[in-house]
Amino acid sequence: MRVLAVNAGSSSVKLSVVDGEEVVEGVEVPAERGVWGPGVVEEALAGLPGADAVGHRVVHGGREFVAPVRLDAAVVERLRGLAGLAPLHQRASLAGIEAVGRVLPGAAAVACFDTAFHAGLPGAAATYAVPERWRREWGVRRYGFHGLSHAYASRRAAGWTGGERVVVAHLGSGASLSAVLRGRCVDTTMGFTPLEGLVMATRSGSVDPGLVVWLQEHAGLSVREVGEALEERSGLVGLAGTADMREVLERGDAAAVLALGVYVHRLRAGVAAMASAMGGVDTLVFTGGVGENSAEVRWRAALGLGFMGVRVDSVVNAGLRGEGEVSAAGAAVRSLVVRAREDVEIARGVRAVLGG
């Protein structure tokens, strides 16, 4: 079964035709805050080979959607109801469903959720220590995100090394970690929203919740102002004035040095926390734009994880292009670079629902 994988995000729409584990052809359409020009998706689809079914990446499945599901009008309406949990990303996903549906109205379509891979988190990892009413009535819990990427990378790593305890570092404009024990996610860094956890390109990652209250009560900032600042003007851009890790690494000024230091400090701490959730780690995986392409970030992360058995070969790491192993000889933990393949994972989910 050939599957058209649709990954509609805040900065682009990626369209890929996937046959088995291989991408036959793909195209990326630029977007601005989840909005693209009229007719551009339709035009892009016209240039791609035919597919038997369509799979859509949907960021948030809430408590209801914990596995891929076939799309119909009722499901789409329920997905709209979840938009408040991830407004920018959910709107983009829904817009992609609508645009592709206009071009391929008769094609079977499946929603594949970024939260689904984390739906089975143990209670201790999924639960916030907040009032019971919040958890019961409003579904306040740690959902986790980037699940399609974590699912693919952890499965690829397990097949590569045979290790049962995998930490996946998805490092892109958004960034998160997961602890995957024998194929099951047992901890992750993102939580109720994609804002929790690591420092990202424009997102702050975890901050003291008391800070948010203080900014509203004492600095006079509105809910919207605080939210937009933490989502769009924090992270690398807040520290160094740029969201591009390549620029941060090239510069030697104090702001860039601090930004890189904060980024790596949080990354190391997060990897150690993920390992602790499994009683150790056998394989560390780097994926995503930064994880795949920044040898410097991989090297710096590994330098602080030697106590866990992580050691990277500096020559192999610096010279790697694409996928590969960057472990130093004799390292107790194997370190891999795996290409992010959310499109392949989407296609896998579609086949699980439709067969074929």
Side-chain angles (χ1 to χ4, degrees):
M1 176 187 290
R2 277 192 173 187
V3 176
L4 171 66
V6 183
N7 186 343
S10 57
S11 60
S12 68
V13 183
K14 298 174 184 175
L15 304 165
S16 307
V17 176
V18 183
D19 192 348
E21 296 275 310
E22 299 299 322
V23 175
V24 177
E25 193 171 339
V27 66
E28 187 168 354
V29 176
E32 183 67 34
R33 290 184 55 78
V35 178
W36 50 86
V40 294
V41 170
E42 291 84 349
E43 183 179 343
L45 285 171
L48 291 176
D52 304 303
V54 181
H56 292 270
R57 176 194 176 208
V58 178
V59 166
H60 217 306
R63 289 183 290 182
E64 179 179 1
F65 299 109
V66 298
V69 62
R70 186 163 182 164
L71 284 166
D72 58 26
V75 169
V76 170
E77 194 57 35
R78 296 205 293 277
L79 294 179
R80 293 190 194 283
L82 297 171
L85 294 174
L88 181 58
H89 296 86
Q90 202 80 348
R91 283 198 299 267
S93 298
L94 290 164
I97 291 169
E98 182 179 341
V100 175
R102 285 195 300 267
V103 180
L104 304 170
V110 173
C112 300
F113 300 94
D114 260 335
T115 50
F117 185 61
H118 311 294
L121 283 175
T127 305
Y128 288 115
V130 297
E132 189 270 342
R133 183 187 176 195
W134 295 13
R135 292 179 275 120
R136 172 173 45 84
E137 292 190 17
W138 301 319
V140 173
R141 58 157 285 168
R142 301 188 68 249
Y143 286 101
F145 299 89
H146 291 145
L148 295 168
S149 177
H150 286 291
Y152 175 82
S154 60
R155 190 174 66 254
R156 176 97 169 86
W160 192 327
T161 70
E164 294 187 335
R165 301 171 299 180
V166 180
V167 173
V168 177
H170 176 100
L171 307 177
S173 57
S176 65
L177 303 170
S178 66
V180 185
L181 179 61
R182 292 188 289 275
R184 180 192 173 201
C185 183
V186 296
D187 204 358
T188 190
T189 52
M190 285 182 167
F192 183 69
T193 73
L195 191 57
E196 187 179 356
L198 302 178
V199 172
M200 306 175 221
T202 66
R203 290 177 239 168
S204 64
S206 295
V207 298
D208 180 351
L211 168 65
V212 176
V213 176
W214 187 91
L215 287 169
Q216 294 176 67
E217 288 186 341
H218 296 280
L221 298 183
S222 68
V223 172
R224 181 174 181 178
E225 287 173 323
V226 174
E228 287 183 348
L230 293 175
E231 286 275 3
E232 300 172 17
R233 300 196 304 279
S234 297
L236 293 179
V237 77
L239 292 168
T242 177
D244 191 334
M245 178 57 81
R246 291 168 297 187
E247 183 179 336
V248 171
L249 290 167
E250 288 167 1
R251 286 164 40 187
D253 58 278
V257 170
L258 176 62
L260 181 59
V262 173
Y263 185 97
V264 172
H265 174 80
R266 293 283 191 90
L267 175 56
R268 290 171 176 169
V271 171
M274 294 299 104
S276 74
M278 301 181 290
V281 57
D282 303 310
T283 310
L284 173 61
V285 181
F286 294 95
T287 190
V290 175
E292 294 170 42
N293 298 304
S294 179
E296 180 74 10
V297 168
R298 297 193 299 262
W299 173 250
R300 286 175 178 267
L303 281 178
L305 297 171
F307 71 98
M308 290 169 41
V310 176
R311 289 194 300 119
V312 163
D313 184 303
S314 59
V315 176
V316 173
N317 180 56
L320 182 68
R321 299 295 179 269
E323 291 192 334
E325 181 166 355
V326 294
S327 317
V333 175
R334 296 180 68 176
S335 298
L336 310 179
V337 178
V338 170
R339 183 183 174 194
R341 295 300 302 271
E342 291 164 315
D343 46 11
V344 170
E345 195 64 26
I346 290 168
R348 188 168 180 263
V350 171
R351 295 187 190 101
V353 172
L354 302 179

